[in-house]
Each structure stands twice: as structure tokens, then as C-alpha cells.
Amino acid sequence: MSFYSGLKRVLVGESLPTSAHAEERLSNAEALAVLSSDALSSVAYATEEILLVLIAAGTAALTWSLPIAVAIIALLAVVILSYRQTIRAYPNGGGSYIVARENLGLYPGLVAGGSLMIDYILTVTVSVSAGTAALTSAVPGLQRYTVELCLVFVFLLTLANLRGVRESGRLFMIPTYTFVVTIFLLIGLGLYQQATGQISQNDTLIEAKESINLFFILRAFSAGCTALTGVEAISDGVLAFKPPEWKNARLTLLYMGVILGFMFLGITYLAHAYHIAPEEGQTVVSLLGRQILGNGPIYYLLQVATLLILLLAANTSFADFPRLCYFLARDGYLPRQLSILGDRLVYSNGIIFLSVCAAILIVIFRGQVNAVIPLYAVGVFTSFTLSQAGMVRRWYQERTSGWQASAAMNGLGAIATLVVLGVIVSTKFKGGAWLVVVAIPLVVGIFLAIHRHYEYVAQRLSIQGIAPRSYIPRLRTQEGTHPAVVVVGQLNRGTLEAIDYARSIADEIVAIHVDIGSTDREKLQQRWQQLGADIPLIILDSPYRSVVSPIVDFVTDFEDRHPNVLSTIIIPAFVTRNWWESILHNQTTFFLKASLRAKKSRVVTTVRYFL
């Protein structure tokens, strides 16, 4: 075992067979912790975001926090109910990308997908930066290491998620449920103290700097709508649940909505009842905690739980970003490597891609939350709007029983989220939201460029129209004179040239194909009989989704059956027009050649097909 393999096994764990995929699914309790941490953590700052806007109009304006919170809860209810319908309509995972693409068309779907990708990356950046800020506030001496600490937290989250869905679910259950319990304890004790008249009056008056008008209220409303970020995660992650997946996902989404709604409304009500106003260096949750819980152990438990949930909020992105990338890669709009399951039955490449993007943003913005916040929420509300508009069109086209009520509800949600999106963009545009507004079409442009490349490659490699070939079965002139093995990835023009080359140099040829669980064996064998009938095709099983290991094992066994003979291993490979296009294709050929060349008594040949 190499040093790299040993280190990987220690950090990530043993490889899991594809057959264990069902065992790696999440229970409802685990899924609530993994997929809802982003939404639930918003309780720690959503009320504060509302108050920070309202305080500009003076102390009296803070009374608007309650009606605004009620309006946000109403919007939350509409979004939750909408996504419950989406999950039922798309039981195999119906995130904003799929809903928008199927019902509104390609470009709205790509906009939704690009918006969500950007939002997931920003979620990791904001959550990790916010959690680190809580730590450095408690220990000021660590402030100069803010960026380094952020990167360490990103690395730890990456490592936890690379270990697999089930293990990450177990890891994150304790801090998530500790936060929920402490928040409900805070709300319960706060309501009890209010009922028994134990609230101390805070008569501090703050001078108004702005007047209250409709646009001002809308600004406060849009600021509080950060409470809705992460709500769509469960609809994207339906396949992470145990069977019946869609039913469990709908139930968990309802649980999340109820818990989130009660916590958000409870914190906002207590902030109103206790006359809490935002203070420099103190969060609203901290101020409430000090008044209700005092400075005892429960208060510090609340602060530690808040710190952990803010860090773990990033985990929602780690759970859903790779799945979103899988859907886009499957459709040919992202590199195909993002659609491949890793050793631990998670989309490892997507997890690493997310980590790298978030780390780059953390370095650029120096781990400062305030610098990233203006970019936040634009992407998620764009995807909200497109998803719900897509559902409206779906109801209208299908016209199933009760479709009018469903369409009306989704239409209301689409209008509300569109209004919020407009307010967010208009109020935060100069503060940095313009970056996301510009980034979304750029990302869509990248999607389209990648898709054009894959279409071009498919067209150049296609064997469509090639007439079936007829070959006389090969007769060996001398036992084991020159055997050859042809590696068949996909049946294309490059493969045919490799086979023709094998016929020209060898008198015993066998072709091998590795099935990692996605091969239509019957179709492949049928087409093979038409194009290479004189050469047997052996399909190798790969329960651990490795391409290299089964081939190396087969070649070793093949050579054992042909002693004292130099065998040739032929690997077809196509060459792209530009070097950078090779990034869009996996590097299996490189690793396969390196493994096969470990033994010197064999010839490894690459037959190149130039596009």
C-alpha cells in the first residue's frame, strides 16, 4: 500500500462497495441535521438583520419587527408547501435546476442551477467566516489568524463529508440538536419570565435617522428573508434519504419548517418584548441570553451551540452542492468527473470543488463576514422564483385535481420571492450584489461552453452510420505468439482504431470493459458483435467503482496464462483540440498507464484519436 493510499484510508475511511449505497442513506433525524443546518442556523442572525435595518428609524421603528417576522413566516410556509409539492412531483430529486429546466426551458434551468451553485459557495464562505468571527470575538488574540482558522474549518468540514453521508450525519446531529434545544429553552424561559412579570424595562431611546416608508419596510423584510436560505436543500437531496425517499423528504421538510418558524418567531417576539436593540460586539441572541439566562453555564452552552451551528450551516452546501453538480454534469453542463461517486459513496469531486471555491473567496475577502453578506441571498431567491414559476407552469399543463389551488400558491410564492429578490438587488447592488448579478450569466455562459464541447466530442467520436463489420474468426498460428488486451471505455471511433491496431500486431486479442454500475451490458454487447465480432469482449465488474484495479488484475491474470510472452496492452484515447479542454475529461488513461507500467515485461500502448 502506498503512503497516499494509507493516509487516505486513515482520513477518509475504507472504500465502500456500490451495494452499500442504500445503507449510506440518512434517517429523518440525521437528514434534518445534515440538510437543515443552514436554514436552522439563520435563527442566529435573521432577527438581528431585521433590527439592524429598523434601528435607523429609531426605537419606535423596532415594533415593526413582529409584523415583518409574521410576513416572513407566511412566505416560509408558502415556500415549504411549494417544495413539498415539488418533492412529490419529482421523487428522484427536484431542485430548482430540474424544475426550472423541465417546465420553463433550458436557460431558466441553467440560471437556477448557476444561482444555486453561487449561493452554496457563498453559504460556506459566510457560515465559516461567521463561526470564526464568534470564536475570535471570544478569544481576541486569534483575530490575526482569521483566514487561517477559516481554512482549517473548511478543511475539517471537507474531511467530514468525504467520509460519507451517514458518518457526516452522525457527526453533525449533536451540535444541531443542541442548538435547537437551547433556543427553545431560551424561548420557553423568556415567555415564562414575561408571564410572571420578571422582564426588566429597557428605556434606551435611539434617535431616528431615516423615515419609515414602504421601501424602508421592504428593506427590513428582505434582510430578514435570510431566514429562508437553505430551505431548498431537502428538495435537492431527496435521494440521500432512506426509502421511501420522497415521503421521508416531505416529512423532514415539514419538520424543518415548523422548527424554523417557531424559533424565528420566538426570538423576534422576545427581542420585541425585552426591548432588545442591536449593540456593537453583541448579537441579539447573546443579548437575549444574558437577560433571560444570566451569565451562567446555560448561556455559554447557547453561545457554543450557536458557534457550532454557524460552522455547520456550511454543511448544507456540502450535502447539496455535489448533488446539484451531479445533475448538471449528467446533462453535460459541468465536467463529467463531478457525476462520479467517490470511494465513500459521495460525490467527492463536488465536495472538493466546493471547498476550493469557498477557500478562494475566504482568502479574497479575508474571512470578513460583512464583506460577503451583500453577495448573499441573491442566488437563492433567484432559484426560489424560477422553481416556483416552473411549478405554476407544471400545474397549468397537467391540470390534475386541485391544480388551481396549487398553482395559486406557487404563483404567490413566485411573486413574493421575486419582490424580495428585486429589493435585495436594489438595496445591496452597490454594496457587492452586482458581483452575483454579473457572475450568474458568466456561469451560465461557462455551462453552455462546456456543453458545446461535449456535443462536439460526441459528434466526432460517434459510430453512428458505421456499417456492421464482418470478420473471419481469428486463428492463432502459434500458441501465445503475441497476445494483446484492448481496453474499451466507450464504443467510439477511437476504440475502433485501437482494435484495428491490435489486429495488425497480435494474433490473440481480448477486449475488456469495466462496469462501474452504469453500463447497459446488453446494448454494449449487441453493438460490439456488429463492430468487432472476431474479438471477445469481457465485461469486468467493479463493485468499488474503480476502473484501474480491475484492469490491472485482469491483465496480471491474462499474463499468467501466457508465460514467457511479451503482451501488449492497448489503451484508446482521444486528443482534444486545446490543452485546457482535457480538464473536462477524466484522467483515467494517465493513472491506468502508470499502474500498468509498474511491470516492465509488458508493452503499454496508447492509440490516439485526434479530434
Side-chain angles (χ1 to χ4, degrees):
M1 183 190 298
S2 67
F3 172 77
Y4 170 76
S5 299
L7 180 63
K8 182 180 179 182
R9 181 170 297 180
V10 171
L11 294 177
V12 178
E14 298 279 354
S15 296
L16 295 173
T18 306
S19 58
H21 199 262
E23 299 172 12
E24 285 295 300
R25 302 295 184 91
L26 297 171
S27 67
N28 290 1
E30 290 169 336
L32 189 63
V34 172
L35 299 176
S36 303
S37 52
D38 181 19
L40 296 178
S41 71
S42 64
V43 172
Y45 52 81
T47 299
E48 185 172 353
E49 291 296 315
I50 296 173
L51 298 181
L52 283 171
V53 175
L54 293 177
I55 200 68
T59 307
L62 297 180
T63 57
W64 279 94
S65 61
L66 269 181
I68 289 173
V70 171
I72 292 173
I73 293 297
L75 178 59
L76 173 65
V78 170
V79 172
I80 292 290
L81 292 173
S82 171
Y83 274 111
R84 276 174 56 85
Q85 293 181 141
T86 301
I87 291 171
R88 184 174 61 181
Y90 294 89
N92 292 322
S96 300
Y97 163 66
I98 293 177
V99 175
R101 184 181 177 186
E102 287 194 4
N103 298 290
L104 299 178
L106 173 61
Y107 291 105
L110 294 180
V111 169
S115 300
L116 266 185
M117 282 186 66
I118 292 171
D119 183 71
Y120 284 142
I121 295 169
L122 289 172
T123 294
V124 175
T125 307
V126 169
S127 300
V128 170
S129 300
T132 305
L135 176 62
T136 55
S137 297
V139 188
L142 296 175
Q143 287 184 356
R144 57 179 176 170
Y145 303 110
T146 295
V147 174
E148 290 82 356
L149 286 170
C150 286
L151 295 179
V152 167
F153 288 136
V154 169
F155 173 75
L156 292 176
L157 284 167
T158 304
L159 205 58
N161 281 277
L162 286 175
R163 291 189 66 86
V165 172
R166 190 170 59 177
E167 287 208 25
S168 64
R170 290 170 178 169
L171 285 171
F172 301 141
M173 279 182 71
I174 294 175
T176 300
Y177 287 114
T178 300
F179 175 75
V180 172
V181 170
T182 52
I183 289 293
F184 274 112
L185 181 62
L186 176 70
I187 295 171
L189 288 175
L191 293 175
Y192 173 77
Q193 290 179 10
Q194 183 195 28
T196 55
Q198 300 179 40
I199 298 179
S200 58
Q201 294 297 319
N202 181 6
D203 298 325
T204 304
L205 294 177
I206 299 173
E207 185 179 347
K209 297 179 182 178
E210 292 187 37
S211 60
I212 299 177
N213 52 44
L214 178 60
F215 189 72
F216 181 79
I217 299 300
L218 286 175
R219 276 175 51 202
F221 173 77
S222 65
C225 281
T226 53
L228 274 68
T229 55
V231 168
E232 80 292 338
I234 290 177
S235 71
D236 284 335
V238 173
L239 294 181
F241 286 81
K242 290 182 177 180
E245 295 87 349
W246 69 274
K247 289 185 178 179
N248 287 327
R250 276 168 55 89
L251 187 60
T252 304
L253 181 60
L254 182 61
Y255 288 155
M256 184 195 72
V258 171
I259 294 171
L260 174 59
F262 273 110
M263 289 199 303
F264 174 58
L265 193 58
I267 293 294
T268 307
Y269 176 78
L270 289 181
H272 172 74
Y274 282 77
H275 306 288
I276 297 294
E279 292 182 13
E280 186 71 27
Q282 286 286 324
T283 65
V284 167
V285 171
S286 176
L287 291 169
L288 279 173
R290 289 186 186 277
Q291 283 206 34
I292 297 170
L293 305 173
N295 291 316
I298 300 179
Y299 166 75
Y300 287 103
L301 176 63
L302 172 66
Q303 290 302 97
V304 171
T306 303
L307 161 65
L308 292 177
I309 195 68
L310 284 170
L311 288 175
L312 296 185
N315 194 65
T316 297
S317 293
F318 278 100
D320 270 357
F321 180 90
R323 291 191 186 93
L324 174 61
C325 288
Y326 160 76
F327 287 125
L328 285 162
R330 180 195 65 184
D331 294 341
Y333 294 99
L334 278 179
R336 295 275 166 77
Q337 297 94 311
L338 295 171
S339 66
I340 300 172
L341 280 173
D343 290 344
R344 298 289 293 181
L345 295 174
V346 291
Y347 297 107
S348 306
N349 292 329
I351 292 172
I352 295 170
F353 179 34
L354 172 62
S355 303
V356 171
C357 292
I360 291 171
L361 286 183
I362 286 170
V363 172
I364 291 174
F365 292 101
R366 308 302 300 168
Q368 300 301 312
V369 182
N370 293 336
V372 188
I373 281 291
L375 285 66
Y376 203 36
V378 174
V380 71
F381 277 96
T382 300
S383 63
F384 275 171
T385 303
L386 290 171
S387 174
Q388 296 196 67
M391 288 303 296
V392 171
R393 185 169 186 186
R394 180 185 177 90
W395 296 127
Y396 182 77
Q397 289 178 332
E398 294 190 354
R399 295 174 183 263
T400 54
S401 177
W403 71 272
Q404 295 95 335
S406 298
M409 185 180 65
N410 288 132
L412 177 63
I415 293 171
T417 52
L418 180 62
V419 170
V420 173
L421 175 62
V423 173
I424 290 173
V425 171
S426 60
T427 57
K428 297 182 179 181
F429 189 82
K430 292 182 179 179
W434 66 270
L435 284 171
V436 179
V437 174
V438 171
I440 290 173
L442 288 178
V443 170
V444 171
I446 292 172
F447 289 161
L448 294 172
I450 291 173
H451 191 67
R452 281 196 299 270
H453 170 75
Y454 282 135
E455 284 189 325
Y456 170 78
V457 171
Q459 181 183 8
R460 295 287 291 124
L461 293 176
S462 175
I463 57 174
Q464 192 72 28
I466 293 181
R469 301 184 179 190
S470 178
Y471 292 100
I472 300 173
R474 306 184 63 82
L475 297 175
R476 283 183 281 177
T477 57
Q478 184 178 346
E479 184 68 27
T481 301
H482 192 176
V485 177
V486 180
V487 178
V488 177
Q490 295 178 335
L491 197 52
N492 53 43
R493 290 180 182 270
T495 306
L496 297 184
E497 289 201 0
I499 294 170
D500 288 342
Y501 171 72
R503 289 191 178 100
S504 70
I505 65 167
D507 57 11
E508 181 183 357
I509 307 171
V510 62
I512 56 174
H513 171 83
V514 179
D515 180 9
I516 61 173
S518 57
T519 300
D520 185 338
R521 296 190 175 208
E522 184 178 347
K523 183 178 180 181
L524 177 61
Q525 287 284 13
Q526 182 181 9
R527 193 64 176 134
W528 180 262
Q529 290 301 316
Q530 295 175 341
L531 298 174
D534 62 323
I535 299 173
L537 173 65
I538 299 174
I539 299 178
L540 307 175
D541 288 314
S542 181
Y544 291 90
R545 301 164 306 287
S546 169
V547 174
V548 175
S549 297
I551 292 176
V552 172
D553 292 342
F554 177 88
V555 168
T556 302
D557 181 64
F558 181 81
E559 290 176 332
D560 289 342
R561 289 185 277 111
H562 298 77
N564 304 318
V565 175
L566 192 65
S567 58
T568 299
I569 316 303
I570 301 170
I571 306 172
F574 61 84
V575 181
T576 56
R577 292 173 297 179
N578 304 295
W579 67 267
W580 56 266
E581 291 176 330
S582 63
I583 299 172
L584 301 177
H585 303 275
N586 62 50
Q587 306 303 314
T588 305
T589 300
F590 172 80
F591 294 108
L592 180 58
K593 287 193 294 184
S595 297
L596 289 172
R597 284 172 176 166
K599 183 177 179 181
K600 295 182 179 179
S601 60
R602 68 167 66 111
V603 177
V604 180
T605 300
T606 302
V607 177
R608 297 184 177 184
Y609 183 83
F610 290 85
L611 297 178

